[in-house]
Every structure is written in structure tokens, then in C-alpha cells.
Amino acid sequence: MTILLIKLFIKDSGDGRMTAKLREKYGVLSGCVGIVLNILLAVAKLIVGTIANSISITADAVNNFSDVGSSAVSLIGFKASSKAPDKEHPFGHGRIEYIAALVVSFIILSCGLELIKTSIDKIMHPETVVFSYPAAAVLVLSILGKLWLALFNNKIAKRISSVSNKAVVADSLSDIISTTATLIALICARFTSLPVDGYMGIIVAAFIILTGISVVRDTISPLLGERPDPELVKEIEQEILSHEGITGVHDLMVHSYGPSRVFVSAHAEVPADVDINVSHDVVDNVERTLKEKYGILASIHMDPIVTNDAHIAELRQKLGWIVKQIDPELSIHDLRVVDGPTHSNLIFDLVVPYKYKIPPATLSEMVTREVKKLSPTYNTVITVENSYI
């Protein structure tokens, strides 16, 4: 069914590229499917919940109506996020998708809180729940429908890397659990007069609230700016280093302005004795390749380094060994050696993990002490920094 819907409504160019327009089509399809399925489930549950006098079934119906609103917000988010860059938003509108997912989470949370209130009232003032096979059948069909919707959105989420679709998957799985609890309450109504229905309504609401909190957490992270995918970082580094004339790369930063809107800045190390125009041409080719292969807009800074001086090469190796002895997670780059009549300045950057236990000043002193053992004429000028990847 999933493959059939994609074939019917998504016209792929066949070149394997996930363009913004193609991504929008997947998002609109998932939103429309979610709206139609949730309306059908909500209406069916509302009817049988009213007939059976079951608050948990009615609560489940309300949850499906909230899912309709969530799907509509996601659909609008996909449409808005695909808008082209403009004067006010030169990096595009991709983050609107995250805002849409945040709105969805607030809808989910408000529904969950309202259902807890209703369920408590049902426990305090219990009413007889009438078991019926049609009601049980609707709940079983709902579980199967939500299972398919979760698989459907999971497939799309993987294909287009969408936080909105991942949120729908989490919501659908939560709905499966809550609907199962509702089914248990309906079956229990045949054997006991206890207000199981009200308690199950609270369980349903609790799952709804937990889902809402999960969506908030997953949405706020990319809005704040999260660590890039390690696989993407590895591919970018390998692509830059694959070009002849580039000997190293550091200070790589990956800036995301929404799905499929990635900007990269980096420092590429080039031999200092090569014509600057030649190195500049190499860097231009790297930026062009990243754009063509990955859709990434890159800005690469050239760092000329001495590659044909055996003394500096040996110093670079020894400095690397020194910092690794202090902590294997440390590394250096941008080594420059400025020689004078009485001393030499070793200027370099020292990369440390976030929340490193040793303060920068103390760490610099530790490195300096070890460098002095190599030669008392060595002075160090160290910049301690974090890696953004």
C-alpha cells in the first residue's frame, strides 16, 4: 500500500536526488494520508464510544481528531518550508518544518491534559460501559490502521530525513498503546463494574502527554542547533581531502537551516610553496563539487602550511604525540613556527572536547611544560578551542 501510494502521487525524476520540491511532495502526501485516516478513525470511535458510553473510546476519538490537526499543521509546514529564499530569509524557510512540529507537540499536550481532566471526572462519577463487538472491532481496526500509518511515515521519514514524520511515527506508536488500553477497558466492562474505563482514559492521556513531550524535545534540538550527522561530516571531509593539492582539513562547521538546506565552512590546508592561484582553483573545485554532489553550499578558507620542511614536520609530529599523552581526545592543527635569535614561537590551535575537565589555562601550561623538555628555547602560543562536529 505504501509503495502504491508513493508511485501514484510522487513523480520522481529518477536521478536519485532529493530536491526541495520532491521533498515537499512526500510531505504533502504523508499529511493528506494522515488527515484522511485519522478522520475515519475519529468518527468511527466517536460513534461507538457514544453508544458504549465509554470515556476511554471517546478519549481515543478526541486523540484522533488532534492527530487530524497535527497532520494539517505538518502539511502546511512542508508547503511553507519549501518556499524559495527571499530578501528577509536568504537561507530559505526550512526551519518552518521544525516550528510546525513544535505546534503539533502543543496540540498533543493540550489534548492529553484535557483527557486527564475528563477521565478523573469519569472515575469520580462512574457510568456503566456497554460492551459491544462493533466497538471492539473498531478499536482493533484502529490499532492496525495506526500500525500501517507508523510504517508509512517511518519509510517517508527515512527517505526525506524529516523530523515531522518522525514525530508522526512516535505519535502513531503511542496511539497503538493507548488504543490497546482502551480495548482492555472495553473488555473489562463485561466482567466488572469498577471504573476501569476512567483509569484507562488516564493511561491513554498519559501516553498522549509523553508523546507530546518527546516531540518537543526532538524539535527544539534542531532549532537550537545540534551536532551534525557524523556520517555526513565524514563524507564532507573525505570529499575535501580527495582533491589533489589539499593536505588536511580542520575547523569544519556544518550549519543547518532546515532539512536539505546545509551550509558548510571549513579550513583547507594547502602547501605554502604552491602558487596561491593554483590552490584557490582547487578550493573552488571543492566548493563546486560539494554543491553538485550533496546540495551543500560551502565556504572554504585556505590555510597555507609548510610541507617541505623536515624540522617543522618533526615538530608537528612531536606536538601531536605530547597532547595525545595528556589525553587521546586532544589534537592540534594550524602549526606555525616563528624563529628568532634567542627563541622560537610555536603557534598552534589545541582542540578539546566540550565540558573538558581541565581548564584551558591549566591545559596550556601542561602542554608548554612538555614542549620545554624538547628545547628550552621553545615558547608556545596556544589557542584552546572546541570542535563543532
Side-chain angles (χ1 to χ4, degrees):
M1 185 66 175
T2 299
I3 296 174
L4 178 61
L5 284 172
I6 291 175
K7 284 184 177 179
L8 286 174
F9 295 99
I10 306 295
K11 304 303 179 184
D12 199 335
S13 61
D15 60 2
R17 292 184 63 210
M18 182 55 65
T19 62
K21 197 66 180 175
L22 182 59
R23 194 173 184 283
E24 178 192 349
K25 290 179 181 178
Y26 275 105
V28 170
L29 173 62
S30 66
C32 290
V33 168
I35 290 172
V36 172
L37 181 60
N38 281 301
I39 287 177
L40 293 174
L41 293 177
V43 172
K45 287 178 187 176
L46 194 59
I47 292 172
V48 298
T50 302
I51 295 172
N53 195 31
S54 169
I55 185 63
S56 58
I57 296 179
T58 304
D60 223 15
V62 173
N63 184 31
N64 285 131
F65 276 123
S66 75
D67 291 342
V68 173
S70 300
S71 295
V73 171
S74 295
L75 192 154
I76 295 170
F78 271 110
K79 294 290 289 184
S81 66
S82 65
K83 287 176 60 180
D86 54 36
K87 184 178 179 180
E88 288 75 24
H89 308 92
F91 298 108
H93 301 77
R95 286 180 178 169
I96 291 179
E97 184 181 332
Y98 303 143
I99 297 173
L102 198 59
V103 172
V104 168
S105 68
F106 292 149
I107 294 173
I108 294 171
L109 287 171
S110 62
C111 287
L113 293 172
E114 184 61 31
L115 291 180
I116 284 182
K117 178 183 175 182
T118 308
S119 298
I120 291 174
D121 184 65
K122 187 74 172 182
I123 294 171
M124 300 297 294
H125 308 92
E127 297 178 9
T128 303
V129 176
V130 180
F131 174 84
S132 69
Y133 286 105
V138 166
L139 293 178
V140 171
L141 288 174
S142 175
I143 292 170
L144 295 175
K146 281 292 185 176
L147 178 60
W148 175 81
L149 189 63
L151 294 173
F152 172 74
N153 278 282
N154 187 56
K155 188 177 185 67
I156 290 181
K158 288 182 177 179
R159 187 166 294 189
I160 67 175
S161 301
S162 168
V163 66
S164 291
N165 286 103
K166 289 178 182 177
V168 174
V169 172
D171 189 30
S172 297
L173 293 176
S174 174
D175 288 345
I176 291 170
I177 297 172
S178 62
T179 303
T180 301
T182 302
L183 181 61
I184 293 171
L186 185 66
I187 295 172
C188 288
R190 295 189 65 184
F191 308 103
T192 180
S193 59
L194 292 174
V196 177
D197 184 52
Y199 291 112
M200 285 300 181
I202 289 179
I203 292 174
V204 170
F207 277 111
I208 293 171
I209 290 172
L210 287 174
T211 300
I213 293 172
S214 175
V215 175
V216 169
R217 185 178 61 248
D218 293 342
T219 305
I220 286 179
S221 185
L223 276 174
L224 288 175
E226 59 187 352
R227 180 190 179 195
D229 179 12
E231 283 298 317
L232 176 62
V233 170
K234 185 178 179 181
E235 288 184 29
I236 293 171
E237 288 180 335
Q238 289 177 344
E239 181 60 46
I240 294 174
L241 292 171
S242 69
H243 289 254
E244 187 176 354
I246 293 181
T247 59
V249 59
H250 60 265
D251 285 345
L252 176 62
M253 299 183 191
V254 180
H255 316 270
S256 174
Y257 288 88
S260 302
R261 290 169 174 82
V262 178
F263 298 80
V264 166
S265 60
H267 287 211
E269 296 174 357
V270 298
D273 58 344
V274 173
D275 188 303
I276 190 172
N277 292 311
V278 174
S279 294
H280 189 273
D281 186 64
V282 172
V283 168
D284 276 349
N285 288 334
V286 173
E287 293 175 343
R288 189 177 300 108
T289 302
L290 288 173
K291 175 67 175 176
E292 292 172 353
K293 287 184 66 174
Y294 304 100
I296 292 173
L297 184 62
S299 176
I300 299 178
H301 170 77
M302 290 189 303
D303 264 352
I305 63 168
V306 177
T307 58
N308 57 358
D309 188 310
H311 174 60
I312 293 179
E314 183 182 5
L315 272 177
R316 186 180 292 110
Q317 185 178 15
K318 288 181 178 179
L319 287 172
W321 183 85
I322 287 173
V323 299
K324 291 296 182 186
Q325 293 305 303
I326 296 173
D327 191 325
E329 290 192 83
L330 302 178
S331 63
I332 70 162
H333 61 76
D334 269 358
L335 171 64
R336 289 184 292 125
V337 179
V338 181
D339 292 318
T342 61
H343 67 275
S344 296
N345 287 332
L346 308 187
I347 307 167
F348 59 90
D349 294 343
L350 177 60
V351 183
V352 303
Y354 283 95
K355 297 182 179 179
Y356 197 58
K357 60 182 181 296
I358 304 175
T362 304
L363 182 59
S364 295
E365 290 173 3
M366 293 171 62
V367 174
T368 300
R369 279 198 300 270
E370 296 301 316
V371 170
K372 287 288 186 182
K373 292 178 183 178
L374 299 177
S375 171
T377 63
Y378 287 157
N379 289 341
T380 59
V381 181
I382 304 173
T383 300
V384 180
E385 63 181 23
N386 296 117
S387 170
Y388 290 96
I389 55 173

